[in-house]
């Protein structure tokens, strides 16, 4: 049994919200840089150049990469031998978000009720996914998500007979529909299997996997590669103004499913694909 | 083509801009996004006056991050324009000359743009740190309670944007992809 004080959680969540919004992770940074080298549309290259310059300014000036500093998505994997001391863990996470968005000069983009729409002024509540894992560590992922791209995400309830082809067609459709609205180049998170909500959560989790890592399953890694190459033949390009770089990476997660179904979800993310991980 | 224009923008200038032009804007523009548009729309419905005069003005669909001490503004890139589609034709009819955002527009907006000789510019989405450097002054002038969604008056210098839909209704989002694919 290991005891962790929730003040540790508050402090880490706070720092991670700020870090995610000022610095893209090294995998994302190098994906954007190498896309710039390879882009063969002149305007596309210029736009990718602006994105590289933008990352540098964000670092130097300690200013968010994008003004949509997102809704705070937090994945918390808690070792089953951990005991939390202090406050309620959900309150601790929200306190971390509150402090991070305040002290980091991040935008407060959350409204209290989807229909009444009054800004909560501190970017809380966060969306929290808890998971119990073996051991006595706590693994935290903070992934602030912008809504320009979130709004273009989809769930598809396919039939088993649709198979891999059906999955690929749906991903391509979602990316085509997203077009310039999702600030391409995009990162595409896909969840296949499970049920309705499991597929969507897997699609979000897929976005937190580094873009230089492929799926450990050979047939899925193959599908990631095929989709990437097909999506980059659409010609949408940087900012949707034509070019080779429409998608930087496709990450797919899978899970067992029912004999009668093939649920899948596509979570679209822009080039500001933020994910910071820490283990306590 | 690369062009420099000043804002507010007259109709005479608006009609010289074509889809695909790379434009640097200097002068005075205003910010407004979802909540400010909704409130302006309701204000008009009630027959009341808007807090800004729209004539010849350019509205930037922007909700910035807070400014650090001593800075003018925080990160300041465009938001998705289609959410303003419901309100844009009414504002264009009142003389608004231009919009800066990102992403597609509806048929109604494009029709209204042609009728009113207005221009839709895209700024590069997700380049908010870079774009903030072009903003020299920022002041909340209405709807302060809306926080980031308040209406701000901005003084900008060489703000880089691309004409996506021009006053004739030519749409770069429709043509650019085909043009690119033809070059392969
Ligand atoms: S979609 Fe991404 S890059 Fe575009 S405005 Fe939203 S967070 Fe920023």
């Amino acid at each position: 049994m290991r005891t962790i004080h929730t003040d540790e959680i508050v402090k880490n969540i706070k720092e991670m919200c700020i870090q995610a919004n000022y610095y893209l992770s090294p995998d994302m940074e190098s994906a954007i840089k190498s896309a710039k080298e390879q882009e063969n549309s002149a305007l596309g290259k210029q736009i990718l150049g602006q994105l590289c310059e933008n990352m540098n300014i964000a670092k130097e000036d300690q200013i968010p990469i994008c003004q949509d500093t997102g809704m705070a998505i937090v994945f918390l994997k808690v070792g089953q031998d951990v005991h939390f001391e202090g406050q309620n863990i959900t309150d601790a996470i929200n306190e971390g978000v509150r402090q991070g968005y305040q002290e980091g000069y991040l935008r407060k983009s959350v409204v209290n009720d989807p229909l009444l729409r009054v800004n909560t002024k501190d970017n809380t509540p966060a969306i929290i996914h808890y998971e119990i894992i073996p051991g006595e560590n706590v693994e935290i992922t903070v992934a602030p998500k912008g809504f320009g791209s979130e709004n273009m995400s989809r769930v598809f309830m396919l039939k088993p007979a649709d198979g891999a082809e059906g999955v690929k067609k749906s991903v391509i459709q979602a990316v085509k529909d997203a077009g310039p609205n999702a600030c391409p180049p995009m990162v595409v998170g896909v969840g296949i299997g499970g049920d309705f909500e499991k597929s969507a959560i897997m699609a979000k989790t897929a976005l937190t996997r580094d873009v230089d890592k492929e799926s450990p399953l050979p047939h899925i890694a193959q599908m990631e590669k095929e989709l990437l190459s097909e999506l980059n033949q659409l010609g949408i390009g940087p900012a949707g103004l034509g070019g080779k770089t429409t998608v930087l990476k496709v990450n797919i997660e899978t899970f067992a499913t029912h004999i009668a179904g093939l649920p899948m979800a596509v979570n679209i993310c822009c080039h500001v694909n933020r994910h910071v991980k820490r283990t306590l | 083509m690369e062009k420099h224009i000043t804002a507010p923008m007259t109709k005479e200038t608006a009609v010289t801009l074509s889809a695909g032009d790379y434009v640097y804007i200097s002068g005075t523009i205003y910010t407004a996004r979802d909540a400010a548009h909704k409130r302006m729309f309701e204000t008009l419905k009630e027959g009341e006056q808007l807090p800004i005069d729209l004539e010849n003005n350019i509205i930037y669909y922007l909700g910035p991050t807070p400014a650090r001490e001593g800075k003018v503004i925080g990160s300041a890139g465009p938001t998705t324009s289609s959410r303003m589609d419901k309100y844009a034709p009414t504002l264009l009819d009142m003389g608004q000359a231009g919009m800066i955002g990102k992403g597609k527009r509806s048929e109604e907006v494009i029709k209204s743009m042609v009728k009113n000789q207005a221009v839709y510019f895209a700024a590069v989405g997700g380049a908010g740190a870079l774009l903030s450097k072009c903003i020299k002054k920022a002041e909340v002038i209405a709807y302060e309670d809306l926080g980031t969604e308040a209406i701000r008056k901005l003084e900008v210098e060489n703000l880089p944007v691309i004409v996506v839909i021009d006053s004739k209704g030519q749409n770069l989002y429709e043509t650019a992809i085909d043009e690119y694919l033809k070059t392969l």
Side-chain angles (χ1 to χ4, degrees), chain B residues 71-100:
Chain B
K71 296 275 180 184
V72 173
I73 201 164
S75 198
T79 195
T80 311
S81 309
S82 57
R83 293 193 314 271
M84 269 50 81
D85 282 358
K86 179 177 168 190
Y87 312 112
T90 306
L91 303 186
L92 293 172
D93 282 345
M94 294 183 66
Q96 184 188 332
M99 304 163 278
I100 307 172

Side-chain angles (χ1 to χ4, degrees), chain A:
Chain A
M1 178 81 99
R2 176 177 168 216
T3 300
I4 296 178
H5 199 281
T6 51
D7 285 356
E8 275 296 297
I9 303 289
V10 175
K11 176 178 154 279
N12 278 283
I13 298 275
K14 173 183 98 176
E15 292 168 359
M16 291 165 85
C17 287
I18 298 174
Q19 183 186 340
N21 274 298
Y22 290 0
Y23 314 97
L24 276 190
S25 51
D27 59 305
M28 281 303 301
E29 194 171 337
S30 66
I32 295 171
K33 282 186 184 154
S34 75
K36 183 190 147 209
E37 297 314 315
Q38 286 162 30
E39 180 55 62
N40 49 14
S41 134
L43 180 57
K45 210 179 180 72
Q46 187 179 355
I47 290 169
L48 291 170
Q50 283 193 11
L51 297 185
C52 293
E53 206 184 325
N54 187 63
M55 286 191 280
N56 292 337
I57 295 172
K59 271 187 224 164
E60 279 162 24
D61 290 5
Q62 298 279 288
I63 170 175
I65 306 157
C66 179
Q67 79 291 335
D68 185 354
T69 52
M71 198 163 183
I73 317 298
V74 177
F75 292 90
L76 204 78
K77 295 188 181 177
V78 182
Q80 61 187 22
D81 297 326
V82 171
H83 168 246
F84 286 118
E85 191 180 85
Q87 58 181 326
N88 170 313
I89 184 70
T90 302
D91 292 346
I93 292 172
N94 281 322
E95 182 56 28
V97 169
R98 186 173 293 122
Q99 292 183 11
Y101 276 71
Q102 196 57 41
E103 291 176 29
Y105 297 87
L106 307 181
R107 199 178 76 182
K108 322 301 181 288
S109 315
V110 174
V111 292
N112 64 342
D113 177 290
L115 299 175
L116 303 176
R117 307 197 75 82
V118 177
N119 198 303
T120 62
K121 303 227 158 74
D122 60 7
N123 221 56
T124 67
I127 293 179
I128 309 170
H129 301 287
Y130 291 105
E131 197 181 319
I132 306 290
I133 55 170
E136 49 178 35
N137 289 341
V138 175
E139 294 175 20
I140 313 174
T141 303
V142 173
K145 184 67 169 73
F147 260 55
S149 51
E150 189 72 1
N151 281 338
M152 307 318 286
S153 303
R154 304 272 293 275
V155 171
F156 299 86
M157 301 306 282
L158 301 182
K159 296 177 183 64
D162 294 327
E165 275 316 300
V167 168
K168 284 169 73 176
K169 244 173 76 185
S170 306
V171 174
I172 291 168
Q173 195 54 52
V175 169
K176 265 192 184 165
D177 292 345
N181 292 25
C183 294
M186 310 171 212
V187 177
V188 182
V190 182
I192 314 174
D195 63 352
F196 180 73
E197 83 280 1
K198 175 75 178 172
S199 66
I201 293 171
M202 285 193 293
K204 171 112 324 129
T205 312
L207 291 175
T208 67
R209 191 208 308 157
D210 285 354
V211 296
D212 52 10
K213 292 198 178 67
E214 56 181 24
S215 165
L217 304 171
H219 68 297
I220 297 299
Q222 181 62 26
M223 186 185 268
E224 290 178 349
K225 271 194 224 127
E226 286 170 14
L227 270 172
L228 181 67
S229 124
E230 283 177 47
L231 291 168
N232 283 335
Q233 284 164 28
L234 293 176
I236 295 171
L241 296 173
K244 172 174 170 179
T245 321
T246 299
V247 168
L248 295 169
K249 179 74 197 301
V250 180
N251 278 352
I252 306 178
E253 297 291 318
T254 60
F255 195 75
T257 189
H258 189 279
I259 47 174
L262 178 50
M264 64 163 288
V266 184
N267 196 191
I268 305 272
C269 194
C270 49
H271 55 87
V272 189
N273 179 27
R274 295 159 279 209
H275 47 271
V276 177
K277 294 185 190 199
R278 286 188 190 177
T279 301
L280 303 185

